[in-house]
Amino acid sequence: MEQQAAAPPEVRNLINYLRSSKSGMKTRTGVLNGKRIDYFKGKSAVKALLQPAYAKVKNAPKATTEEEAATVLRNALPYAFYLLVERGNGSPKPLQVVQMQAFKPDGYYAWFYEGSQLTTYLGGVAMVAVILGGVMFPLWPPIMRLGVWYLSIGLLGLIGLFFAIAIVRLIFYIITLVVASPGIWIFPQLFADVGFVESFIPLWEWDLPKKKKGKKKAKDGSKEKAGKGAVSDDVGSEKTVPVPRQQQATIEEVEDDE
């Protein structure tokens, strides 16, 4: 679009931030003129400009309050990176561009800008290079083909070793579960969300249930109070606490944002 080409660098930096994952802005998918397109709510964009990540963006319009953020988004609207639309019923939502453009927090805005295409271009170049490399493999020098063969054999060996360890540890656990209950796990952290080295530490461990220290302390404290003749707090905790209307209104506001 001509409007986007005429946008100053400050506005372009603003748009790139909103289109990136750093903004945390929630986008949805609608249908405009038969094509799928992303859209967002104005309130979500205002919140994105008040995030600490936006303050770190260089050469971009400043926004410290909701009013300033709304002004920044209103000033960027004429460059047609996003436009005010109306939503219809259905899934995905049908969208229609509004002729009278304005910025309002409760409005919905369709994106007409995909963001920086550098990553897409680099990914495409890398994919073409991999395909050409595979097709031209017979023409590679013998030493390169031999290196690729050794590398593939090494990777297959590591994968096979991993499966072998998983099978052996399962068999060993079943045997120890029968012979020495509750059983022993070899490499208990093998499938845990830890680093590579931590996956093999410790070497073995009994299959004991994890103790919840917080509840144990709470029980000990209540027993100590009961022994001293003090009134237990557990009785008061069973009372139903009504939810304030203010919190209910907040929850409904979040659902409306959805």
Side-chain angles (χ1 to χ4, degrees):
M1 291 185 179
E2 297 180 359
Q3 296 94 328
Q4 295 183 6
E10 296 82 2
V11 175
R12 193 168 294 275
N13 292 336
L14 165 69
I15 300 301
N16 287 331
Y17 166 77
L18 292 176
R19 208 70 173 100
S20 66
S21 59
K22 296 179 180 179
S23 64
M25 191 170 63
K26 187 175 183 179
T27 58
R28 306 178 187 280
T29 303
V31 177
L32 180 64
N33 296 330
K35 296 182 180 180
R36 288 182 175 269
I37 190 171
D38 294 337
Y39 70 96
F40 62 94
K41 195 169 186 178
K43 186 185 299 183
S44 180
V46 171
K47 292 180 180 179
L49 295 187
L50 299 180
Q51 298 294 328
Y54 180 68
K56 299 179 182 179
V57 178
K58 297 181 179 180
N59 194 19
K62 301 302 180 183
T64 57
T65 63
E66 293 185 359
E67 290 76 13
E68 292 180 357
T71 301
V72 170
L73 294 168
R74 186 181 302 108
N75 294 336
L77 191 60
Y79 298 102
F81 288 102
Y82 51 85
L83 295 175
L84 178 65
V85 294
E86 291 182 350
R87 294 197 310 174
N89 297 325
S91 180
K93 299 286 187 182
L95 306 176
Q96 184 177 1
V97 178
V98 178
Q99 292 184 355
M100 299 299 294
Q101 291 292 314
F103 182 80
K104 46 187 178 180
D106 294 333
Y108 293 94
Y109 296 85
W111 277 114
F112 292 90
Y113 178 67
E114 297 297 332
S116 178
Q117 301 297 316
L118 179 60
T119 304
T120 304
Y121 294 150
L122 293 178
V125 171
M127 184 178 296
V128 172
V130 170
I131 294 174
L132 288 177
V135 173
M136 305 277 297
F137 182 76
L139 302 179
W140 287 18
I143 187 170
M144 292 182 63
R145 286 184 287 174
L146 183 63
V148 171
W149 184 82
Y150 280 125
L151 181 61
S152 60
I153 293 298
L155 292 176
L156 290 175
L158 289 176
I159 296 174
L161 179 62
F162 178 81
F163 280 103
I165 292 175
I167 295 172
V168 169
R169 73 192 290 268
L170 179 60
I171 296 174
F172 185 79
Y173 170 74
I174 294 174
I175 294 174
T176 55
L177 183 63
V178 177
V179 178
S181 181
I184 298 175
W185 280 112
I186 301 175
F187 303 131
Q189 302 292 332
L190 185 63
F191 296 101
D193 188 13
V194 293
F196 177 78
V197 178
E198 289 79 6
S199 299
F200 300 95
I201 299 174
L203 179 62
W204 64 275
E205 188 179 67
W206 290 99
D207 187 23
L208 298 175
K210 302 296 182 181
K211 296 181 179 179
K212 298 181 179 180
K213 298 180 180 179
K215 291 185 177 181
K216 185 176 180 181
K217 286 184 178 180
K219 291 180 179 179
D220 293 343
S222 61
K223 288 181 180 179
E224 184 178 354
K225 289 181 180 179
K228 293 181 179 180
V231 179
S232 176
D233 293 334
D234 294 337
V235 178
S237 62
E238 294 178 357
K239 295 182 179 179
T240 303
V241 180
V243 180
R245 294 184 178 178
Q246 184 177 0
Q247 295 182 2
Q248 293 178 354
T250 303
I251 294 174
E252 292 176 0
E253 184 178 354
V254 174
E255 292 179 355
D256 182 64
D257 189 35
E258 294 293 331

